[in-house]
Amino acid sequence: MPDAMGKTIPIWCAVMNRTLFPEKPAYHAVQFAPAYLGESEESQIENKIDGFIESFKALNLDMGKLKERLGKPIRLVWASRDFFSDNDEHDDSHLLVLCSASRCVRGAEMSEGGYIQGAGDDSEGWSHGLTPPVFWKHKDQLMAAGESELPGLIQELVEKECKLPSTNGRYLIKPTRNIYIGKRSGVGDDDASSFDLVIDCAGSVDSSQSGSPQSTKWLNLGCPSGKLGSRQLRKVLAGAESFVSRHLTGDPSLSLLIMCSDGKDISVGTALMVLCSLFDDQGIAPGNNLARPTNI
């Protein structure tokens, strides 16, 4: 099964349950999928939970409000083609079912039966470029097609959608008045020049605007799309934070556009870092008491 189901979600549920519901110790242990991880790895994860809880608390979130909205602890069960781990009902918890289309086997990255770890959630490996918006727009046509027809039909629909005019929307991240995310429109991105600062997550580092008047106010991160881009982003976030901090310290009202190939992936993660690192809960950068709205 994907690591998200076997490790990430169980870790987060344990952190949430312990932090928000200290009076319910029955849900404090990390809930692991049956016969998935070894005892040593489970023990190592358990030993890290207290540190994760401290990091969670350090975010200074309204824990009372979170507890009120969640209401009850989270209980996990797993479902695959071979088994359903638990079907008991518990009124004092929310049931979260983690489903995997792959057969759950232990072993290396590729194991018996051809199971490839993570294949179920790495859509770039099996979707042929189909995205959720394209699927829902052409759902009836896709569902009516035979399996052998799907690859060709998907290619046709994706190519048709790519030829449609792009709005190149730039979306303000509220409650800030000057941080935007959007989709890059291509080399140069002339419309992006109306912003004071630009972070192009997908822009090539080698082809940056070095030597141009904008070079000090335009940062390329060189992140490809998909999971590889997420990994690259972790390596360059510190540089992005330094870039934004340096400019906003001098003028916190400068407008900033953060863009990536689709405006919904790497740019969102980068914007989240900027918000958490440099802005308060009211969307104001430290020292900016007169943040002015930008007319873009």
Side-chain angles (χ1 to χ4, degrees):
M1 69 177 69
D3 279 348
M5 294 184 182
K7 301 178 185 179
T8 308
I9 295 177
I11 288 172
W12 266 108
C13 286
V15 170
M16 297 288 283
N17 286 347
R18 291 190 195 183
T19 305
L20 302 181
F21 304 97
E23 73 281 6
K24 296 187 177 181
Y27 296 97
H28 288 184
V30 182
Q31 303 169 69
F32 293 109
Y36 177 62
L37 300 177
E39 292 184 4
S40 176
E41 188 168 6
E42 288 185 355
S43 177
Q44 292 177 53
I45 291 175
E46 283 277 9
N47 291 335
K48 291 180 178 292
I49 298 300
D50 287 341
F52 293 150
I53 290 175
E54 292 305 313
S55 297
F56 182 47
K57 291 180 177 178
L59 296 175
N60 294 320
L61 303 176
D62 188 339
M63 298 299 178
K65 186 174 182 179
L66 285 176
K67 180 175 182 176
E68 180 182 354
R69 295 189 65 177
L70 187 57
K72 297 183 288 187
I74 302 171
R75 184 172 63 89
L76 299 178
V77 297
W78 287 261
S80 73
R81 296 185 302 172
D82 303 318
F83 74 100
F84 185 70
S85 63
D86 183 4
N87 57 6
D88 294 335
E89 294 186 4
H90 298 262
D91 293 334
D92 61 342
S93 63
H94 291 297
L95 178 64
L96 179 58
V97 181
L98 305 180
C99 301
S100 174
S102 301
R103 184 163 61 93
C104 183
V105 295
R106 299 182 66 177
E109 186 75 1
M110 179 176 287
S111 187
E112 58 176 298
Y115 166 59
I116 303 175
Q117 189 176 27
D121 64 344
D122 295 336
S123 59
E124 61 267 25
W126 52 262
S127 67
H128 298 281
L130 183 65
T131 62
V134 176
F135 170 80
W136 288 109
K137 185 175 181 179
H138 304 279
K139 176 175 68 71
D140 293 339
Q141 186 178 359
L142 288 165
M143 297 298 289
E147 186 172 350
S148 61
E149 302 172 301
L150 282 174
L153 175 59
I154 291 173
Q155 181 179 357
E156 177 185 335
L157 295 176
V158 170
E159 290 177 351
K160 183 186 299 183
E161 292 295 323
C162 289
K163 294 178 181 178
L164 295 177
S166 173
T167 60
N168 291 326
R170 310 308 195 190
Y171 302 97
L172 174 67
I173 301 178
K174 297 181 179 180
T176 77
R177 298 182 179 183
N178 56 328
I179 307 299
Y180 295 77
I181 60 173
K183 177 180 179 180
R184 68 196 307 260
S185 57
V187 178
D189 273 283
D190 293 336
D191 59 324
S193 62
S194 59
F195 292 83
D196 298 315
L197 305 172
V198 176
I199 295 179
D200 185 353
C201 299
S204 172
V205 176
D206 294 333
S207 62
S208 64
Q209 291 73 17
S210 178
S212 72
Q214 288 186 325
S215 60
T216 60
K217 295 189 176 182
W218 188 301
L219 178 67
N220 287 344
L221 299 184
C223 297
S225 59
K227 184 171 290 186
L228 291 178
S230 298
R231 293 172 180 169
Q232 173 65 14
L233 180 62
R234 299 169 197 167
K235 301 177 182 179
V236 297
L237 270 181
E241 179 182 3
S242 176
F243 170 80
V244 178
S245 177
R246 181 171 66 252
H247 288 288
L248 293 190
T249 297
D251 184 354
S253 66
L254 292 175
S255 60
L256 167 65
L257 170 64
I258 304 172
M259 57 185 182
C260 64
S261 56
D262 62 4
K264 302 176 182 178
D265 187 11
I266 307 298
S267 59
V268 176
T270 306
L272 181 60
M273 177 277 295
V274 171
L275 292 176
C276 292
S277 302
L278 304 173
F279 285 78
D280 61 20
D281 292 344
Q282 285 70 48
I284 304 298
N288 180 17
N289 297 319
L290 298 173
R292 63 177 185 271
T294 53
N295 297 317
I296 297 175

